Structure formats: structure tokens, C-alpha cells
Amino acid sequence: MNELIEILNDLHPEVDFTTEKGLVTGGILDSFDIVSLISEINEEFDVTIGAAELTPENFDSAETIYALIKAKLDDED
Amino acid sequence: MPFLLLASYAFYFIADPRYLIFIAITTVSTFFAAKAISDKKVSFDVWFKEHKKEYEKEERKALKAKEHAAEKKIFLCCLLFNLGFLAVTKYTNFTIANINNIIGAFGNQGQISFVDLIIPMGISFYTFQSMGYLIDVYNGKFEAQKNLIKFALFVSFFPQLVQGPISRYADLSQTLYEEHRFDWHTVSFGLERILWGFFKKLVIADRILVPVKAIIANTDSYNGFYAFVGAMFYALELYADFTGGIDITIGVAETMGIKVTENFNRPYFSKNIKEYWNRWHITMGTWFTDYIFYPISASQFMMKLSKKSRARLGNNLGKRVPVYLSSFIVWFTTGIWHGASWNFIVWGLGNFVVIMISQELEPFYRWFHSKVNVAGTLGWKVFQIIRTVLIMSSLRMFDCYRDVPLTFKMFGSIFTQSSLSQLSAEVFIGMGITAYDYLVVFIGMLVLVSVSLIQRSGSVREKIATKAAPVRFIIWYGLFMATVIFGAYGIGYSASQFIYNQF
């Protein structure tokens, strides 16, 4: 989770990602941010996130993003 | 529901009976491809759940990959078939013209003749809508529609055939297939919306179109300051025309109890171009984001490219590569989607350049706002709105003049040939409309801005609905009479087609 928070902090240093629950619905992360984010996630966690998974539900908080990464990692096991 | 489908097909038949063949081919091919994918998915999932434990991890992976590949084949066949259809009808002559230009550059030998092709009304809209549905089914967002009549209605629903919006199946199907009983509330709201649309279209758009046409047609006389005026008039005309048309679409659907997605959210109140595109032609923007930008950005190729570019160019510069490349493709596609000609491509790429520059300037803006405390002030907000209007209107000159070198020339003339002597009232009157027309447009614009300002605190229609009956009657009757009396009719005017028809 810490690695993910670090990536997110790089994108928007002004946001508290540990508490924010409306990253997409609240307009904090736009489509550019999401693309940067998935390529960094790919680099850091070695998981590929598909276009169909780029939904507000998956990206609205650090928690949901981390849950997506974890689900991907578990799926590979 | 069959009645609605019949009405939609009749609408097409009246426009041109041949169009029916095109929409029917898209409907049938997408319906059966989506159904095949969906059926395969469901049966595989059921089978996999039962037999999962019989296989090792690697075998399970292979089974899933095999299933996925089979679905992908059907998906790609249908996608390429329909997009190919769209490409052939819309872009064949554009391609021929470009090939001829290249041939001409080498000595004018062997020119290819243009072909006479039918371009069915709204083909881009219904193809995009159908392909969005197919992609969603392929991605497992929902199961395919099992009833061909229901699906045919989703593709051809007549109010949105003319100029969109591009509906999503998940949204439109919610109300499209329900049985609708007469409901005074929705009927009155729908009629009110239709009336508002006609007001924008007839009172503002069609009236201001006359001087716009005059300015475009006489570029030798109307340069400098007039090119700027033309760009401003065109911005107003396009807004009133397109949003008016969408109001009519949404209103017609609403009278039948069907909810169509909103396509505009007061775009000229945006603080930057990125936000503007989130608020203008929303259904097109989200379509391009979800079905082009994200799939390209998240593709295996882009992930590899991202890794390589980070390694070569460093993390900071390297991570921009996928975003920039995907955006470039999206804006090129957006441009050519608007029309098979270079002016639209340059217009699209102009948007790309502006968005990328403002993206890169973000650290500067952050620094600026840390030094100068203007963010949130009314003056700064007004500055941002004026900036948005000016940038978008300048870019739209490519759409207005429809000729790339001419657009650059006219844009340049604003800075080199504008003079105070051009500020002559007589010249404006000479553009085909009278002082009275300008007054009508100005008052219409004031109404438009006032409504937009009221909308900031919620739906205007809901607000009207809470008023006493005589007040509501005066508003409706006033709007109706204003449209009838001040609408652009008669000699010199013709209720022109909606601008977005051609897309």
C-alpha cells in the first residue's frame, strides 16, 4: 500500500490519498493521471490493468486501487 | 416498443430508403456477434466453475486464454467489419483526393476518379453506439440483448439519429424498453425542452448564421477584425445550433418517458480546455476516452513502450510518452470523425497541442498561484472563461473556413489587419441581417446566459415547475411566442440543417 501511496503522491502532492474516497468522481484523477498511474503500477507491481478495469469504482480511492492490484496478483497465483 | 422501432425506421425511410439497408446491416451483425460472445462467456463460466478443480494452475490459464481468443475473433471481425463500413462510406473520397495530390506532385499522371457513395444519415453516431455496446459485452460489463427488435431500437432510436448523443446501452436501455404510460410531468418537461431547443436554433443560431456565411464567403473584404467577429459569431451559432438540437432530441425522448444522456454541461463556463471537453459533446468525449484512449493507453504495446521510454528518457519524460501518444491518436481520430478533410484533422490536433501545453504548464500555474493569490476570485474566473472562449473559437476557425492555409491566413489577419476603421456599423448591416436581427440575437444571448447562470444552482425546469400556474403559463407562452415571432423565417432565412447532421 505504501508504494501505491507514493506513486499517487507523485501525481498529486496536494491530496491526502489515505483518506480521499472520491478520486475519480470528485475529479482529482483525470484520464491522463489514470494512464500514468497504470503504467507506474505495471512497473512497480508487475500487474497489467486492462482498459475495462479503468472504472471510477476501481479508482476512486487508494484502497480500491490497491484491492484491484491485489486481486490481479491473487489471480495470477 | 415495436411501434417506436417502426417510427425510427420510417424516419430513416423518409430521409432515404437506401439508408435502411446500412443501419440494418450494422444492427444484425452487431446483435449476433455480441450474442455469440455473450453466450460463449456464460457457458464457459458455468463450465469453468464446475470443472475448475480438475485442472492445474497453468492449465486453467491456458483454458481461459483459449476461450478469450475465441471471443476475440468474433469481436474483432464484427468491429472491423462495422468500422470498415464507416471508413469506406466516409473516407474513400478523402483517401482518393490525397492519393491524387501525391500523384499530382509527381507529374499529374494517372489520377483516380472519385466514387459516388451513399453516406447514410447519422452513420457515425449509430456505428459508435453499436460498437460501444459490442465492446462492453466483450469486456463482460453486461450480457448481450437477446431480443433483436429491442436491440434494433437501441441502434436506431430516431430522436438521436440526427446528431447524437452517442448513448450507452447500459444507460439508454434502462428506460428505452419500459412500458410508458402517459405522464403529464414528463410530457410537459419534454415539450418545454423541445421549445427551448427551437428557441436556440431558430432565434439565435439560424439568424447569426447569415453574417457567419457572409464573412466566410468574402475573405478579401472580411479579414482582420471581421475574422475575429466571424469566429465569435460562429462560436455562438454552433453552440445554439448543436445544444438546441440536443435539447430537441432529449425533449422528444422525454415526452415518451425515455431518458437520453445529457450532452452539454455549460461548456463555456470551463476554466480550461480539458474541462471544456468534459462539458462539451460529453457523450462523444467519454466514448473516445473509454473506447479509444484507455484501450490504447492500457495496451501491452503501450506498457512496453512506457518501460522503454522511462529507461531511455528518464522517469519524468518517459512516463509522458504513452499519455502523449494515446492523446495524439485520440485527437487525430476526433478530428477525422468530424469530417473527412484536413481542416478537421488540424482542428483535432490543435486541441491536442493546446491540451498538452496546458498540461505541461501546470507546475507553472501552481507556482503562479502560490505567488499571486487570485484563484477563486471573480476576476480570475472571468479571465479563465474568456480564455476558454477565445482558444476554442480560434481553433474552430478551421471548422468555419474549412481550408487549412486560409484559416491560418485569416487568423493571422486578426493581428495584422485589424484596424479601428473596420468598426463600421454599416458593414455589419451589409452582412445580410438588419440592426433588428442583431438586437434579437443579443437579447436571445442574454436569455441563454441568464438560463446558464440560473442552472448553476440546479435545474431551471424544476425551478419553473414550482412556480404558480399563471407564472408557468407566462414563461411557456412567452418562450413559444418568442420562438414563433423572433425565429429566423422568411426571405433570406431558411431553417438550416443541424450542423452535426453530417457527422
Side-chain angles (χ1 to χ4, degrees), chain B residues 90-325:
Chain B
K90 273 187 82 173
Y91 305 110
T92 302
N93 283 333
F94 176 63
T95 312
I96 291 173
N98 282 301
I99 293 170
N100 282 344
N101 282 341
I102 297 167
I103 295 169
F106 290 99
N108 207 19
Q109 291 293 311
Q111 295 276 316
I112 307 166
S113 310
F114 289 109
V115 284
D116 193 14
L117 288 167
I118 308 168
I119 304 179
M121 181 173 70
I123 184 169
S124 302
F125 289 110
Y126 73 69
T127 305
F128 274 35
Q129 191 159 302
S130 311
M131 292 307 101
Y133 161 82
L134 181 76
I135 296 167
D136 284 345
V137 170
Y138 174 69
N139 285 333
K141 282 196 181 165
F142 45 76
E143 279 185 35
Q145 170 57 251
K146 291 180 175 65
N147 183 326
L148 180 60
I149 292 175
K150 281 186 175 178
F151 181 68
L153 178 60
F154 166 70
V155 179
S156 65
F157 182 50
F158 74 92
Q160 55 180 43
L161 269 180
V162 182
Q163 52 180 355
I166 306 166
S167 291
R168 301 291 177 92
Y169 179 80
D171 299 329
L172 187 59
S173 62
Q174 300 262 331
T175 56
L176 188 61
Y177 305 138
E178 280 173 2
E179 197 180 315
H180 299 105
R181 286 170 192 276
F182 181 83
D183 177 58
W184 170 240
H185 181 265
T186 49
V187 170
S188 66
F189 265 45
L191 290 174
E192 200 178 24
R193 189 82 188 249
I194 295 170
L195 193 55
W196 179 231
F198 274 115
F199 175 82
K200 287 187 199 169
K201 167 78 177 151
L202 294 173
V203 177
I204 304 173
D206 283 357
R207 201 173 289 270
I208 203 70
L209 178 66
V210 179
V212 170
K213 277 183 173 172
I215 290 172
I216 300 165
N218 303 291
T219 48
D220 289 337
S221 329
Y222 297 131
N223 53 28
F225 175 69
Y226 295 112
F228 172 75
V229 169
M232 290 298 119
F233 281 3
Y234 185 64
L236 175 64
E237 194 241 330
L238 184 65
Y239 179 78
D241 181 284
F242 193 15
T243 61
I246 293 293
D247 285 330
I248 296 168
T249 296
I250 293 174
V252 169
E254 200 168 3
T255 55
M256 296 183 280
I258 296 163
K259 199 168 161 24
V260 170
T261 317
E262 291 292 339
N263 211 28
F264 293 93
N265 178 21
R266 296 174 293 115
Y268 283 126
F269 285 81
S270 307
K271 57 184 181 295
N272 56 49
I273 303 304
K274 216 185 213 180
E275 187 188 330
Y276 169 90
W277 277 110
N278 289 331
R279 298 168 66 159
W280 172 280
H281 206 348
I282 299 166
T283 56
M284 182 202 70
T286 53
W287 199 97
F288 276 95
T289 305
D290 291 348
Y291 300 123
I292 298 183
F293 182 71
Y294 281 153
I296 294 173
S297 312
S299 65
Q300 296 278 352
F301 168 78
M302 217 44 110
M303 287 300 133
K304 278 179 194 161
L305 182 71
S306 174
K307 266 185 188 169
K308 273 186 188 169
S309 53
R310 276 163 200 252
R312 293 229 175 130
L313 305 166
N315 198 34
N316 204 16
L317 198 59
K319 72 179 179 187
R320 285 172 164 77
V321 174
V323 179
Y324 277 41
L325 188 58

Side-chain angles (χ1 to χ4, degrees), chain B residues 377-397:
Chain B
T377 62
L378 183 66
W380 183 250
K381 280 182 188 164
V382 171
F383 164 74
Q384 286 178 310
I385 288 170
I386 293 173
R387 187 179 58 185
T388 303
V389 173
L390 288 178
I391 295 172
M392 288 320 295
S393 307
S394 304
L395 285 170
R396 252 198 225 104
M397 286 174 79

